[in-house]
Amino acid sequence: RPAARTLPRRGRARGPRASRRARSSARPERQRSRRMLALREAAGAALLLQLARLLIVDSARRASLPPVTAVGLLCYSFAAAAAALGALPPASAATLEPSALAASPARLLASLLLYRSLAGLGCHLWLWLAACERLEPALGSRRLLVVLLLCTGGAAALAAATVPPVQRRYASSLAPATLFALLQLWAQSSPESTVTLVSVRLQTRRLPWALLAAVAILDGVTAALSPLLGIGAAAIYHALVGLPHNAVLPPPPPPTPSLRRQVAGEGDTTTEH
C-alpha cells in the first residue's frame, strides 16, 4: 500500500517537469525550422526578382519567347499574385476530389497553377523557361501545349488509379507534375545533351531524377509524389506516341568577340586572326 500511494505522487511530480523539458527541447527545433523556412522564402523571392529583371531589362529575350513559354510564365505569375490578394484559394486548398471541385471550381486552378512557397514557384518558373525555350521550337507550340495537357491529365489519372485515398492529398498539386513531365519530355528528346544546374553539369536524361531526389530531400518523400506522377505520365506518352530523338539541341555558345581589324588603305583591308 505505501508503494501504491507513493508511485502516483512521483508520477504527478515528474509530469510537469517532463512536459517543461519536452517544450524546452522542442523550442530550438521550431526556431531552426522557422529560420530554414525564412531562408528558403528569401531564396525564392531572389529567384523571382532575378527572373523579372531578366525579362524586363532584356527586351530582345522577352520578344523572342515562344508563345507557350510566355503564356505559362504569365499564368503561373498571375495565379500567385491572385492567391496572395485573396482572389484565388491558396495552394493548401488544392484538391482533385470531384465533390470539392464541384463546390468550388477555383480549387482546380489552385491545383494546376499554385505552389505553397516562393522557392517552389521560383524554381518552377526558371526550369519552365529553360525547358520550354528548347522544347517548343522543336515540337511546335500547338503540339507542346497538347502534350502538356495530356501529361497533366495523365498524372491526375495515375494519382486516382495508384495512390491510396489517404495519401491522395499529397498528389493534389498538379503544378509540379506538369513541370516534371516537361523535364522528362526534354530528357527523352535529347538525352545526350548536357545542362548546368547550380554549377553542376548533368546529362539531360538525369535532370528529372536529380531534381526529384532534391525535392525528396528538402521537402520530404510525400512532396516528391506529384513530380513522380508527372515523370510517369511523360514516360507513358513517350512510349505510346514518341518524340523526335535528338531534336532538341543545346543553345549555341555566345559568339566570341571578333579579332578582325580593318586597316584603312587604298581600297584594301587586312584581317588579323
Side-chain angles (χ1 to χ4, degrees):
R1 285 182 182 178
R5 289 175 183 175
T6 55
L7 282 176
R9 290 176 186 173
R10 291 178 184 174
R12 283 195 299 268
R14 291 178 181 177
R17 294 178 186 174
S19 60
R20 285 194 215 103
R21 288 175 191 156
R23 284 196 298 268
S24 61
S25 61
R27 195 173 298 129
E29 292 292 333
R30 287 197 296 267
Q31 293 176 354
R32 200 176 300 119
S33 62
R34 286 172 189 161
R35 290 195 203 101
M36 290 297 297
L37 182 60
L39 183 61
R40 291 182 59 184
E41 292 298 301
L47 286 174
L48 293 174
L49 288 175
Q50 188 178 5
L51 180 62
R53 179 180 175 275
L54 172 67
L55 296 180
I56 291 173
V57 173
D58 195 349
S59 58
R61 177 74 177 274
R62 185 175 66 250
S64 66
L65 289 178
V68 175
T69 306
V71 170
L73 292 175
L74 289 176
C75 287
Y76 288 110
S77 302
F78 281 124
L85 295 174
L88 276 180
S92 57
T95 182
L96 298 178
E97 296 296 331
S99 58
L101 293 178
S104 177
R107 298 177 74 174
L108 180 61
L109 292 177
S111 176
L112 290 172
L113 300 175
L114 293 182
Y115 274 86
R116 296 177 183 267
S117 64
L118 290 179
L121 178 63
C123 293
H124 180 105
L125 293 182
W126 273 105
L127 291 170
W128 177 275
L129 178 64
C132 278
E133 275 191 327
R134 302 190 189 186
L135 200 58
E136 189 170 354
L139 300 181
S141 301
R142 185 177 301 177
R143 183 179 179 185
L144 178 62
L145 179 61
V146 171
V147 169
L148 288 177
L149 292 176
L150 289 176
C151 289
T152 305
L158 284 175
T162 60
V163 180
V166 179
Q167 299 176 349
R168 202 166 292 168
R169 60 190 178 92
Y170 299 117
S172 59
S173 179
L174 292 178
T178 305
L179 175 66
F180 275 78
L182 178 67
L183 295 175
Q184 181 67 15
L185 292 172
W186 180 19
Q188 290 171 332
S189 297
S190 184
E192 300 302 327
S193 63
T194 57
V195 62
T196 302
L197 182 67
V198 196
S199 302
V200 178
R201 198 170 184 85
L202 292 172
Q203 287 186 331
T204 311
R205 63 184 177 184
R206 295 175 180 167
L207 178 62
W209 302 104
L211 292 175
L212 182 67
V215 170
I217 293 172
L218 295 175
D219 294 335
V221 179
T222 55
L225 181 57
S226 181
L228 185 61
L229 293 173
I231 292 176
I236 292 173
Y237 176 86
H238 185 263
L240 295 178
V241 181
L243 290 171
H245 188 66
N246 284 334
V248 183
L249 300 177
T256 56
S258 177
L259 298 178
R260 296 178 179 177
R261 284 190 297 171
Q262 295 183 348
V263 180
E266 296 181 357
D268 57 349
T269 40
T270 306
T271 303
E272 294 182 5
H273 294 283

